[in-house]
Amino acid sequence: MNTQITIAGKTSHPLKINRYGYGTMRLTGEGIYGEPKNRPEALQILKQAINSGINFLDTADYYGEDVTNRLIAEALYPYPDDLIICTKVGATRKPDKSWITYNTPENLRSSIDNNLRTLQLEQISLVHFRVMHNSEVPFKESLDAMFNLQKEGKILHVGVSNVTPEELEIAMTMGAIATVENMYGHGQRTTLKMAYGESRGGEEVLAICESNEIPLIPYFSLFNSLPKKDNRIAVIAQKYKATEAQINIAWLLHRSPWILPIPGTSSLSHFEENIKAKDIHLTKEDMDFLN
């Protein structure tokens, strides 16, 4: 099983990533909004992530709002040389915790500038354009703005998030797409309609990603997978004396060498438990059973 993955390996600025990242979304308050319940623990998790060899953090300025970015800077700045901070733009939040589209070229520029400011960076290594449902701005117009910001040097690599296969194919004709971030986990692999819109499935774009050597970064990999649909994960967890969360993560690591898991948690003990999934080696028979 590969322990590293390369982002944008066909460009002159490839990024080497240890193949287990950390998603910061759960470090916010209830409803992915506001300050964490336990701020010292949130800061400790971020520090422990780096101490554990993680060099990829997934964040967004609409987590909180801006809570996770500020936590990252407080815990880790000045950053290790190999740390890759990936953020997302295309959405924002209201005080009622609703999610709204924020994807005009002007909106995207504002979001990038805000991320640069709060993360205390001059350039962001990787930015995902997050597609929101019912957008009045054409997909190409928003993505073109992203590539313009890349040309200005504010973004090193451009990725897309929550895309259909058709949108991914379009994006690849417009410029180099470094990564794709879609919903993906053992228990939910395809598009799911949720309260705030569609979450596009990773299974639907995985073959495109693999054939073009584009890493797939799954979100909600545990959120939608831990509620059991059957007992297969539990059976394998018992076999390895592991938790079901660990087997869900191990399944992602074995599913494809182009998947970069970023499981998130607000519990330090769960973080330390989850990261042990890297040491679980599933057999072909295990994978056949789980698939």
Side-chain angles (χ1 to χ4, degrees), residues 192-204:
L192 180 67
K193 290 188 177 181
M194 306 184 76
Y196 49 82
E198 280 190 350
S199 276
R200 272 70 179 268
E203 190 71 40
E204 294 150 2

Side-chain angles (χ1 to χ4, degrees), residues 124-275:
I124 303 174
S125 298
L126 174 63
V127 182
H128 288 137
F129 169 58
R130 211 280 187 189
V131 177
M132 296 288 286
H133 70 291
N134 298 328
S135 171
E136 295 181 0
V137 181
F139 176 74
K140 283 187 173 183
E141 183 177 335
S142 295
L143 195 57
D144 188 56
M146 295 289 292
F147 285 122
N148 285 335
L149 288 161
Q150 183 184 43
K151 290 172 185 174
E152 293 175 21
K154 295 189 175 188
I155 301 170
L156 181 59
H157 294 297
V158 174
V160 289
S161 176
N162 202 40
V163 289
T164 64
E166 293 76 19
E167 286 166 339
L168 178 54
E169 294 282 6
I170 291 169
M172 290 165 55
T173 68
M174 297 177 63
I177 297 299
T179 46
V180 176
E181 185 170 0
N182 270 26
M183 180 187 68
Y184 195 49
H186 180 266
Q188 185 63 51
R189 311 179 196 185
T190 56
T191 295
L192 180 67
K193 290 188 177 181
M194 306 184 76
Y196 49 82
E198 280 190 350
S199 276
R200 272 70 179 268
E203 190 71 40
E204 294 150 2
V205 297
L206 180 56
I208 300 173
C209 290
E210 289 176 327
S211 62
N212 290 278
E213 299 185 353
I214 298 173
L216 173 64
I217 302 170
Y219 70 80
F220 285 173
S221 60
L222 295 180
F223 178 78
N224 284 328
S225 289
L226 287 180
K228 289 188 280 190
K229 295 185 177 181
D230 56 51
N231 72 339
R232 286 179 295 164
I233 287 285
V235 168
I236 300 300
Q238 185 176 18
K239 174 182 175 180
Y240 289 97
K241 295 180 173 56
T243 68
E244 293 188 25
Q246 288 172 334
I247 299 303
N248 272 288
I249 298 165
W251 178 82
L252 287 169
L253 288 166
H254 287 75
R255 174 68 181 85
S256 169
W258 290 101
I259 291 178
L260 171 61
I262 54 165
T265 178
S266 60
S267 162
L268 181 60
S269 62
H270 284 165
F271 170 83
E272 292 174 339
E273 191 175 80
N274 289 346
I275 201 168

Side-chain angles (χ1 to χ4, degrees), residues 83-95:
L83 179 62
I84 295 145
I85 300 175
C86 168
T87 192
K88 288 177 291 299
V89 294
T92 191
R93 307 292 298 282
K94 288 184 177 180

Side-chain angles (χ1 to χ4, degrees), residues 2 19 22 24 27 40 62 77 79 94 102 109 117 139 153 161 163 180 186 206 223-224 249 281 285:
N2 293 348
R19 198 165 158 251
Y22 175 69
T24 64
L27 295 184
Y62 52 77
Y77 188 86
Y79 304 118
K94 288 184 177 180
Y102 197 70
R109 180 175 294 275
R117 177 180 57 80
F139 176 74
S161 176
V163 289
V180 176
H186 180 266
L206 180 56
F223 178 78
N224 284 328
I249 298 165
H281 298 283
E285 290 74 20

